[in-house]
Amino acid sequence: MSSGKTGSKIKGYIEIDQELCKGCQICIAFCPKDVISLSDKLNSSGYLPVLFNDSGECTGCAICAVVCPEVAIEVYRG
Amino acid sequence: MRKVYTRPRLLKRVPFHYCPGCGHSVVHRVMTELIDEMNLGDRIIGIPPPGCSVFAYHYFDVDMAESAHGRGAAVATGIKRAFPEAIVFTYQGDGDLAAIGTAETIHAANRGERITAIFINNAVYGMTGGQMAPTTLSDQVTTTTPYGRDTKIEGYPIRMSEIVALIRGAVYIERTAVNSPANIRKTKKAIRKAFQAQIDDLGFSLVEILSPCPTNWRMTPLESWQWIDKVMTKEFPLGVIKDITGKNDAD
């Protein structure tokens, strides 16, 4: 049984393909939980890709994947 | 955990050649999702245009035939008449559909061809370097209108959807945008209805999609997505422009 503040929360996580990402940062702007940030390492195309910070806040709402122009994000929810 | 969102099956796993923040790839994704959902993968034929999306056939895992500039509707007419069972769509930009291909588009609509035109409107010529297009907004700065588009000299932004809506052969016309999660979902719904009009053999359908072009608008991707809401939709209002398919939405 889930109860309390943390138990009822929907948990999720995302996987970002670092090679497909072009660092346009649209997902950062639309993420309601601010769990995506910009990397400081270039990928092989010379872009700074975004990173997922797994702080337990992600709900797997998939808004990042809906807006991602590179289709680089996969979303899991459980 | 359950995977709730993944790359569509019909979108090839290759990096897009588009600039960061471009709307083309969003439309590609929405369309491949939809083609899979509507189970049209083996009977759909796409006509990509010259322009930034000239390599659309590298991304769509469906049959495609490239057309000459502006001739998308004419090529689609031939394919549709040769294969009436196929679902044929053209994928055209504003330099293609609203400039060099205006005549083809209007006459294909007038003949009531059972084809669907996906019209990507980003208010500039993208691939050639951001020159003024017929759809460029009044006072918009481009490389060929460095002081802004002067309507006395260069004319007014052309509203193709409204023009095509006057034609009797056109049955479904909608203008959407790809600049927010809600608008992206509406775009998918609009394309679904446009394809359905073709499946039901009703006539010509067109979906105009306002699409960001951060590179040629000289903006960051996010600024360009916001600019569509703030500026572009004032000239090109979103919504259904014509729907005589007789299938009104329950919602």
Side-chain angles (χ1 to χ4, degrees):
Chain A
M1 282 295 285
S2 62
S3 61
K5 279 180 190 169
T6 51
S8 59
K9 219 189 246 177
I10 310 162
K11 296 282 186 189
Y13 72 95
I14 59 171
E15 279 177 3
I16 301 164
D17 189 322
Q18 302 291 307
E19 288 305 312
L20 291 180
C21 178
K22 289 180 184 153
C24 69
Q25 304 174 42
I26 297 281
C27 54
I28 297 180
F30 280 99
C31 177
K33 298 288 178 187
D34 290 327
V35 292
I36 309 172
S37 63
L38 201 63
S39 167
D40 54 1
K41 288 196 187 78
L42 297 172
N43 65 14
S44 63
S45 310
Y47 292 111
L48 290 174
V50 293
L51 295 173
F52 172 56
N53 309 315
D54 198 356
S55 57
E57 287 277 295
C58 180
T59 60
C61 68
I63 285 176
C64 53
V66 169
V67 297
C68 177
E70 306 306 323
V71 202
I73 302 179
E74 291 192 329
V75 184
Y76 298 82
R77 197 187 299 155
Chain B
M1 287 213 188
R2 194 165 48 90
K3 194 182 267 190
V4 292
Y5 204 96
T6 189
R7 199 178 175 88
R9 193 174 57 88
L10 294 174
L11 193 62
K12 294 178 197 168
R13 197 169 183 89
V14 288
F16 290 111
H17 73 280
Y18 302 117
C19 308
C22 180
H24 272 306
S25 40
V26 178
V27 180
H28 287 8
R29 192 201 69 224
V30 163
M31 289 186 69
T32 45
E33 271 175 16
L34 191 60
I35 292 167
D36 207 11
E37 281 170 25
M38 295 178 83
N39 215 6
L40 298 174
D42 53 355
R43 58 189 284 226
I44 201 152
I45 302 175
I47 319 289
C52 287
S53 50
V54 65
F55 293 131
Y57 49 78
H58 283 332
Y59 310 125
F60 283 78
D61 202 2
V62 301
D63 289 340
M64 288 205 145
E66 186 69 50
S67 79
H69 204 1
R71 263 83 255 197
V75 174
T77 299
I79 291 178
K80 184 70 180 184
R81 290 190 174 200
F83 301 109
E85 70 283 4
I87 302 300
V88 184
F89 72 90
T90 68
Y91 187 100
Q92 299 176 271
D94 47 346
D96 198 67
L97 189 143
I100 192 170
T102 314
E104 279 78 1
T105 306
I106 287 178
H107 284 287
N110 193 43
R111 293 190 304 269
E113 298 293 345
R114 274 69 166 152
I115 58 175
T116 300
I118 307 297
F119 170 32
I120 309 294
N121 181 357
N122 61 5
V124 286
Y125 287 147
M127 186 185 69
T128 50
Q131 292 86 355
M132 187 194 85
T135 46
T136 295
L137 309 184
S138 312
D139 300 319
Q140 187 184 338
V141 174
T142 67
T143 51
T144 45
T145 54
Y147 306 107
R149 181 178 188 166
D150 181 350
T151 50
K152 272 190 183 160
I153 300 169
E154 283 116 9
Y156 295 90
I158 193 165
R159 293 178 177 167
M160 279 307 288
S161 291
E162 278 83 350
I163 293 171
V164 176
L166 293 173
I167 296 168
R168 275 187 285 174
V171 295
Y172 187 77
I173 316 276
E174 181 166 356
R175 186 184 285 118
T176 64
V178 283
N179 67 334
S180 69
N183 280 345
I184 291 169
R185 290 195 176 105
K186 279 182 198 159
T187 301
K188 187 169 174 179
K189 203 170 151 194
I191 300 174
R192 182 190 293 275
K193 290 190 84 174
F195 280 161
Q196 195 58 49
Q198 185 180 163
I199 293 167
D200 297 342
D201 206 27
L202 297 174
F204 186 84
S205 49
L206 183 143
V207 180
E208 175 175 349
I209 302 165
L210 305 184
S211 174
C213 183
T215 302
N216 289 311
W217 295 353
R218 312 282 190 267
M219 293 176 196
T220 66
L222 188 61
E223 281 167 3
S224 69
W225 283 43
Q226 290 163 343
W227 192 76
I228 290 181
D229 264 343
K230 283 187 208 145
V231 183
M232 213 173 163
T233 49
K234 306 285 184 287
E235 181 64 46
F236 299 109
L238 304 182
V240 179
I241 293 158
K242 183 179 188 183
D243 183 1
I244 52 166
T245 57
K247 286 188 178 144
N248 288 330
D249 253 349
D251 54 23

